[in-house]
Amino acid sequence: MFADMERRAWQGACTGPVRRADLQSRPKELSTVLTLTDSAVQVIRTVTSQPELSPQTGLRIATQGQTEETGTLSLAVAEGPQAGDEIVEEHGARVYLEPDAATILDEMTLDASVDENGDVTFRLAEQT
């Protein structure tokens, strides 16, 4: 079921409004990090544990196409973190968060599902 998904799953972006005000309104000391559901852990581990990939391979989430008010989050397989990235690791699944994305994703949970065609959908929800 996961055989072809890494080629298709990481091409898209997780879209939705990202308000610039959110970047400044959360005090860092009160924030918690992004959490992963069991399903997200399974999908990320499956995609990033291919034999040809580095052991440090993970999913990188970054902001892109930002204007003054809104932007988009992009998802991509990365061989490792870039300078300044925050690292979230749960049960062997690694997620690298670009600094602005890390701020936006504080107190959020990443979930994933795979459809019958092997396409992956990621969803973000507020932590409860």
Side-chain angles (χ1 to χ4, degrees):
M1 167 163 86
F2 295 114
D4 293 324
M5 91 175 160
E6 71 269 8
R7 287 183 174 67
R8 293 188 303 252
W10 312 104
Q11 308 263 324
C14 182
T15 60
V18 177
R19 294 185 311 240
R20 295 295 274 160
D22 289 342
L23 297 176
Q24 293 131 359
S25 65
R26 291 185 185 162
K28 194 66 175 173
E29 64 275 2
L30 298 178
S31 299
T32 59
V33 296
L34 175 74
T35 60
L36 309 176
T37 65
D38 290 341
S39 179
V41 167
Q42 179 183 5
V43 169
I44 294 167
R45 285 178 44 191
T46 299
V47 171
T48 61
S49 65
Q50 303 301 314
E52 68 275 8
L53 299 176
S54 159
Q56 294 303 310
T57 299
L59 172 69
R60 185 165 193 268
I61 303 176
T63 55
Q64 70 173 21
Q66 290 188 7
T67 64
E68 194 170 302
E69 292 296 321
T70 63
T72 301
L73 296 173
S74 66
L75 300 145
V77 173
E79 291 185 6
Q82 293 185 12
D85 282 357
E86 289 191 30
I87 301 169
V88 174
E89 186 167 356
E90 289 188 29
H91 306 290
R94 281 179 220 78
V95 178
Y96 305 120
L97 302 173
E98 176 259 342
D100 284 343
T103 301
I104 292 164
L105 297 174
D106 275 350
E107 301 179 11
M108 301 292 281
T109 298
L110 181 66
D111 189 25
S113 61
V114 182
D115 69 16
E116 62 275 355
N117 296 320
D119 293 326
V120 175
T121 300
F122 286 96
R123 288 176 300 285
L124 290 167
E126 300 248 349
Q127 291 178 12
T128 55

